[in-house]
Amino acid sequence: GGNLKIQEFMIMPREDIDFRTKLENVTAVYHKLGKILVEKYGLSAKNLGDEGGFAPQLNTPNEALTIIQEAIKECGFEPGKDIFLALDCAASEYYDKKTGKYEVQSGIFLDRYELCSYYKDLLNDFPALKSIEDPFDEYDYEAWSIFMKEVINRMSRKVMVVGDDLYTTNCETVKKGIENQWANSLLLKVNQIGTITEAVDAAKLMFGENMDVIVSHRSGETSSTLIADLAVGIGAKYIKTGAPARGERVAKYNRLLEIEDFLSENNM
């Protein structure tokens, strides 16, 4: 909905609390956001996208991030301390291969250097912004390297740069990315590469370099809870499985609650 080019605006809970509390906190923010959107933009603003996120008629990333921060604060949390912000840019969708430019907002076209500066400004304007997924086209390797070296590695805080379309959970591509410093995190999708074995091998490559792995769902998701067990089994810090809005997403969260209870009961 709206004119947003960036595909997803997400929230992440702080890491140093139990999973049940994390889930309660982000769920509270999600529902508070829905109420704020209805108040500001009408009932249609609460319409859901493929992965359970709201699809309001917004025009700029700043609008989206600002209203999410409003919801965080209204729940009594502090952005950048209790709840963090994250983006899935899916930049390949707004990249023009002929001109080499990105239409980051309607009518605004930026080359890779200008887009690096654009993301840098977002990171400075929103200190709670902790993760940026697919900020450049999947084959614009130079842009990824420039962003890491000139922006991310010079930040005073840790920011995750996540490769999804960039890596497609492919070990050979991950090896190249590590060698050339394209990103510092991997979005792991089992059915993207095709086998659990290859997905785990890709995760091991990242872990071997002290980089992060986010086990992820897909847009056309089922009620299978495999990725919840996989995330815990490989020791991933993160899982991306959509908003707490529909059964195919909620099933994963419920499975993680079951796993946490099991581990607690068995002192593991």
Side-chain angles (χ1 to χ4, degrees), residues 117-151:
S117 296
Y118 180 86
Y119 291 137
K120 181 180 180 181
D121 289 341
L122 276 181
L123 287 165
N124 289 332
D125 291 342
F126 296 92
L129 184 52
K130 183 178 180 177
S131 176
I132 302 181
E133 180 183 332
D134 281 347
F136 304 96
D137 180 69
E138 58 198 282
Y139 297 116
D140 193 1
Y141 302 132
E142 183 179 354
W144 288 84
S145 294
I146 292 169
F147 187 55
M148 285 295 298
K149 293 173 184 176
E150 301 299 324
V151 178

Side-chain angles (χ1 to χ4, degrees), residues 59-95:
N59 295 308
T60 70
N62 293 65
E63 285 181 87
L65 293 170
T66 297
I67 202 166
I68 293 171
Q69 287 199 149
E70 182 181 339
I72 293 170
K73 292 174 183 176
E74 286 202 15
C75 285
F77 302 124
E78 183 179 338
K81 180 180 178 182
D82 303 308
I83 306 284
F84 296 85
L85 304 170
L87 303 176
D88 177 3
C89 299
S92 293
E93 298 299 318
Y94 52 85
Y95 178 66

Side-chain angles (χ1 to χ4, degrees), residues 18-211:
D18 63 279
F19 178 76
R20 186 174 296 272
T21 304
K22 291 177 182 178
L23 184 57
E24 288 175 353
N25 292 353
V26 294
T27 299
V29 174
Y30 173 74
H31 289 294
K32 175 64 70 175
L33 176 61
K35 291 179 181 178
I36 293 173
L37 289 172
V38 169
E39 291 170 1
K40 289 180 179 289
Y41 303 102
L43 285 173
S44 64
K46 204 177 177 182
N47 290 343
L48 300 184
D50 285 345
E51 295 166 10
F54 300 119
Q57 296 292 313
L58 301 178
N59 295 308
T60 70
N62 293 65
E63 285 181 87
L65 293 170
T66 297
I67 202 166
I68 293 171
Q69 287 199 149
E70 182 181 339
I72 293 170
K73 292 174 183 176
E74 286 202 15
C75 285
F77 302 124
E78 183 179 338
K81 180 180 178 182
D82 303 308
I83 306 284
F84 296 85
L85 304 170
L87 303 176
D88 177 3
C89 299
S92 293
E93 298 299 318
Y94 52 85
Y95 178 66
D96 188 328
K97 291 180 173 60
K98 292 181 180 178
T99 64
K101 292 195 174 184
Y102 296 83
E103 189 180 12
V104 70
Q105 287 178 214
S106 184
I108 298 178
F109 298 87
L110 305 177
D111 63 27
R112 61 172 65 103
Y113 301 100
E114 293 168 328
L115 188 56
C116 281
S117 296
Y118 180 86
Y119 291 137
K120 181 180 180 181
D121 289 341
L122 276 181
L123 287 165
N124 289 332
D125 291 342
F126 296 92
L129 184 52
K130 183 178 180 177
S131 176
I132 302 181
E133 180 183 332
D134 281 347
F136 304 96
D137 180 69
E138 58 198 282
Y139 297 116
D140 193 1
Y141 302 132
E142 183 179 354
W144 288 84
S145 294
I146 292 169
F147 187 55
M148 285 295 298
K149 293 173 184 176
E150 301 299 324
V151 178
I152 299 303
N153 292 343
R154 297 181 180 183
M155 296 290 294
S156 59
R157 68 182 192 274
K158 179 184 176 182
V159 175
M160 298 166 65
V161 178
V162 185
D164 174 17
D165 296 339
L166 172 72
Y167 283 141
T168 59
T169 319
N170 183 297
C171 286
E172 295 308 312
T173 312
V174 169
K175 288 176 185 176
K176 292 177 184 177
I178 290 171
E179 180 181 345
N180 294 289
Q181 298 182 50
W182 291 341
N184 58 23
S185 305
L186 165 69
L187 199 78
L188 183 147
K189 294 175 175 175
V190 175
N191 72 343
Q192 195 174 48
I193 186 59
T195 68
I196 291 176
T197 301
E198 290 168 294
V200 171
D201 286 345
K204 287 179 179 178
L205 288 170
M206 297 297 289
F207 289 144
E209 299 295 326
N210 294 314
M211 295 182 180

